[in-house]
Amino acid sequence: MSEYPSISNQVEDIDALREEGQQKMSWARQHMPIIEHLREDYRSNQPFEGYTIGMAMHVEAKTAVLVELLAEGGAEVAITGCNPLSTHDDVSVALDSHPSITSYARHGAEDEDYYAAIDAVLSHSPEITIDDGMDMVAAVHEDHPELIDTIIGGAEETTTGVHRLRAMDEDGELNYPVFAVNDTPMKRLFDNIHGTGESSLANIAMTTNLSFAGKTVVVGGYGYCGKGVAKKAAGQNAHVIVTEVEPRRALEAHMEGYEVMPMNEAAAKGDIFITTTGNRDVITEDDFEQLRDGAVLANAGHFDVEIDLDTLSDMAADQYTAREGVEAYEMPDGRRINVLAEGRLVNLASPVSLGHPAEVMDQSFAIQAVCVRELIEHGDKYEPGVHDVPDRLDQEIAEIKLDAEGVDIDTLTDTQQEYLDSWDHGT
């Protein structure tokens, strides 16, 4: 076991922090009916008894409800953060107080401690990994390859992590099966669109105290997250411009009624810029030269590389904190460019970092929970590599959610099902 200390051995006022964290978790739990439904099943049947789960996630209240569910299903769980600024220390302490959970996550961890905490989680020798960004899978393969033989599989939460995993898989370097949770409909259609859209705009508004109405919002990327941001910004009476590199997505944005243009052209027109690509260098030197005075830059993608902050810092004549969570870069010509949350995920690293709505994360984290169950029950069916979440699991979560919402739907008759399954029914 690692000598790196858990959160409870790093902070003071443990009792107060624990109480605050448990209060946050209690509120989230009230609005996560799918997890509550699974909790009844998992408490009774203990599907994870005898297994250890290692996690690198955003450690806040909704994540904590998932972690608690896994522990109450019999697992020993070790967790740390996947972003140094998204951890809520009170929630981390609350988790660490659970007899079956060890939390190493701490807000503001420096790089050395960030990776030491991942190593500490892996010192528990997990059979299942759960990632948000793939840092844990990478650490297993690069630093702890001895664990691969005993790891049954993993699950990846987010777009960037799935991209990295697929690249790793294509190179023949991914040595155990991982479910692409991000790519399943119950994640993409709700978490990525509604969750990212709502939480990003809410955090930008809270951090800046500015309105979207009447402003030009530039959305970098029109994947599922970009669609959500564009939709929600337009709903708040902003004029929306989309930038894209993929022609079909650009055409889709155009057909949805948004202006579409290159970032360097949009740079001269935008008031608020929100990147959602999961890639690096979305807003760069040429764009900084075009930005208006007072432009606001935020990242809703993943890592802090979408905005080229090193170059922006080199270009600036002055740099200062304009308000909490807002760093101003004053250019030699007097223009001020405002960057939120150090270029990290704006909905999770801002001063008020609440993340996605609880109802949305209920769906995403329920998918994680049934994927863990699937790996433990049927892990030998999956070869090393990236796997789609079985559709039956996605439908299971959708049915639980509909029931919780009091929504009834139709079912196919035997005749209809036979028609769909046949090939020889002509016109």
Side-chain angles (χ1 to χ4, degrees):
M1 199 71 67
S2 170
E3 295 182 359
Y4 189 81
S6 71
I7 180 69
S8 297
N9 295 304
Q10 298 183 51
V11 297
E12 300 177 353
D13 299 324
I14 299 296
D15 291 340
L17 285 170
R18 183 191 309 113
E19 184 176 347
E20 291 170 7
Q22 289 172 341
Q23 185 179 50
K24 288 181 179 180
M25 291 167 62
S26 177
W27 174 259
R29 215 179 285 121
Q30 290 181 50
H31 303 282
M32 301 178 74
I34 309 174
I35 295 291
E36 286 301 294
H37 176 94
L38 294 175
R39 189 189 306 276
E40 294 180 16
D41 176 22
Y42 289 4
R43 275 177 174 166
S44 299
N45 296 314
Q46 294 289 290
F48 311 138
E49 186 173 6
Y51 292 92
T52 299
I53 300 171
M55 304 175 69
M57 303 281 281
H58 298 292
V59 179
E60 47 79 57
K62 284 90 67 182
T63 308
V65 174
L66 167 64
V67 177
E68 185 182 58
L69 169 69
L70 299 174
E72 293 185 9
E76 292 289 329
V77 185
I79 185 169
T80 189
C82 65
N83 183 311
L85 296 183
S86 66
T87 293
H88 290 211
D89 283 346
D90 50 2
V91 172
S92 186
V93 168
L95 285 175
D96 201 48
S97 68
H98 191 290
S100 299
I101 301 169
T102 306
S103 179
Y104 298 97
R106 186 172 184 184
H107 182 84
E110 300 292 337
D111 281 356
E112 183 177 350
D113 285 334
Y114 175 83
Y115 290 107
I118 290 177
D119 287 339
V121 169
L122 293 176
S123 74
H124 290 252
S125 301
E127 289 94 358
I128 304 287
T129 62
I130 301 179
D131 255 312
D132 190 313
M134 207 205 84
D135 280 353
M136 184 158 289
V137 172
V140 168
H141 286 75
E142 293 170 5
D143 303 320
H144 303 276
E146 72 281 358
L147 296 177
I148 292 172
D149 288 344
T150 54
I151 290 178
I152 300 169
E156 170 55 51
E157 174 73 12
T158 198
T159 307
T160 297
V162 171
H163 285 332
R164 296 176 75 196
L165 284 167
R166 292 197 187 282
M168 192 176 181
D169 192 11
E170 287 172 6
D171 289 344
E173 298 296 331
L174 180 56
N175 295 316
Y176 63 84
V178 181
F179 282 126
V181 170
N182 177 79
D183 291 358
T184 199
M186 283 295 285
K187 168 69 164 62
R188 276 185 164 173
L189 297 178
F190 303 99
D191 183 312
N192 292 9
I193 293 177
H194 295 284
T196 301
E198 292 183 19
S199 64
S200 297
L201 297 184
N203 275 271
I204 291 169
M206 286 187 289
T207 301
T208 64
N209 196 29
L210 299 176
S211 171
F212 292 98
K215 288 190 174 62
T216 295
V217 174
V218 178
V219 180
Y222 201 67
Y224 286 94
C225 293
K227 290 175 187 176
V229 171
K231 179 184 180 68
K232 304 297 182 178
Q236 295 194 43
N237 299 318
H239 172 66
V240 177
I241 296 174
V242 170
T243 72
E244 246 302 344
V245 297
E246 209 285 326
R248 291 160 296 186
R249 288 179 178 171
L251 183 59
E252 183 181 9
H254 171 70
M255 296 295 286
E256 290 290 335
Y258 303 117
E259 276 197 273
V260 179
M261 62 186 69
M263 179 61 77
N264 193 238
E265 185 179 340
K269 300 183 177 185
D271 299 303
I272 299 173
F273 295 75
I274 308 170
T275 62
T276 67
T277 71
N279 204 344
R280 64 175 303 121
D281 302 332
V282 181
I283 305 178
T284 59
E285 180 175 1
D286 290 343
D287 308 314
F288 299 142
E289 292 175 348
Q290 302 297 321
L291 292 174
R292 298 174 178 178
D293 180 34
V296 172
L297 310 186
N299 169 35
H302 193 73
F303 296 117
D304 58 344
V305 295
E306 303 212 15
I307 304 165
D308 186 359
L309 293 180
D310 289 340
T311 297
L312 180 57
S313 182
D314 290 342
M315 293 172 67
D318 191 17
Q319 181 177 338
Y320 58 91
T321 300
R323 59 184 280 136
E324 188 180 11
V326 182
E327 192 72 5
Y329 295 78
E330 187 169 329
M331 309 306 282
D333 60 6
R335 289 177 301 123
R336 291 154 296 182
I337 299 170
N338 300 295
V339 177
L340 307 190
E342 301 178 14
R344 297 184 183 277
L345 277 174
V346 70
N347 62 330
L348 283 159
S350 294
V352 183
S353 51
L354 300 178
H356 289 0
E359 301 95 332
V360 169
M361 294 314 301
D362 186 31
Q363 298 176 183
S364 297
F365 287 156
I367 295 292
Q368 292 279 13
V370 295
C371 281
V372 172
R373 186 188 67 197
E374 176 72 8
L375 286 168
I376 287 174
E377 292 179 352
H378 305 294
D380 55 355
K381 291 170 37 179
Y382 299 95
E383 297 293 324
V386 179
H387 295 265
D388 291 334
V389 175
D391 195 57
R392 57 184 166 78
L393 299 183
D394 206 53
Q395 290 196 41
E396 175 186 344
I397 298 308
E399 289 168 359
I400 296 171
K401 178 67 172 180
L402 286 171
D403 184 63
E405 294 288 324
V407 177
D408 292 326
I409 62 174
D410 288 323
T411 56
L412 293 173
T413 65
D414 290 343
T415 302
Q416 288 175 315
Q417 188 63 59
E418 180 186 357
Y419 182 83
L420 291 175
D421 291 341
S422 69
W423 57 267
D424 57 349
H425 287 297
T427 56

